[in-house]
Amino acid sequence: MEQQHAGDATGPVPFFIEYLKQAGLFDGWVAGCPLWFTSPNAPSKRDLLDTVLLSVLAGHYRYAYITTLRCDAVNPPLLGMKKVVSEDAVRRGLAKIEGRRVWLGCKRIWTIACGRC
């Protein structure tokens, strides 16, 4: 008799993170992001974008669901995150990106992350 194992939707995420890192896709995406913070209390651009990526990969479609990433002890360290950014910080940070529609529209990482290649 086969045993049934509980699955998790984020199970393949570490492999995808490794793919993004090895292909240099994620570093280029972060470097090309037109976002700059001037406040010393602001999160780093990298942590903010890492949080957004993990949220998309987890299937979140609301900012409020970002809070659940704080319980993830596996994936944030794989991206080299210092901390998971709050939902409010993500909302404010994404709103500050100048030309965000053009920047997100031309980046293939979102197409790959959403499985629409």
Side-chain angles (χ1 to χ4, degrees), residues 44-106:
S44 71
K45 175 168 73 169
R46 178 89 187 198
D47 282 344
L48 187 132
L49 295 176
D50 285 346
T51 301
V52 170
L53 176 67
L54 287 178
S55 181
V56 169
L57 292 176
H60 299 163
Y61 54 90
R62 292 180 167 244
Y63 286 112
Y65 300 151
I66 290 174
T67 305
T68 62
L69 295 175
R70 293 179 182 261
C71 300
D72 187 351
V74 176
N75 294 316
L78 293 176
L79 285 168
M81 294 175 72
K82 294 178 187 136
K83 67 177 185 172
V84 174
V85 177
S86 74
E87 65 198 65
D88 293 328
V90 168
R91 186 181 293 118
R92 286 189 303 267
L94 291 179
K96 288 183 180 186
I97 298 175
E98 295 178 21
R100 64 184 166 270
R101 293 189 197 285
V102 174
W103 173 70
L104 284 175
C106 69

Side-chain angles (χ1 to χ4, degrees), residues 16 19-20 24-36 45 49 52-53 56 94 97-117:
F16 187 70
Y19 164 73
L20 291 176
L25 293 172
F26 192 72
D27 290 333
W29 183 66
V30 172
C33 177
L35 173 66
W36 292 271
K45 175 168 73 169
L49 295 176
V52 170
L53 176 67
V56 169
L94 291 179
I97 298 175
E98 295 178 21
R100 64 184 166 270
R101 293 189 197 285
V102 174
W103 173 70
L104 284 175
C106 69
K107 296 301 175 185
R108 186 104 172 115
I109 191 168
W110 288 109
T111 305
I112 294 168
C114 295
R116 296 184 187 124
C117 304

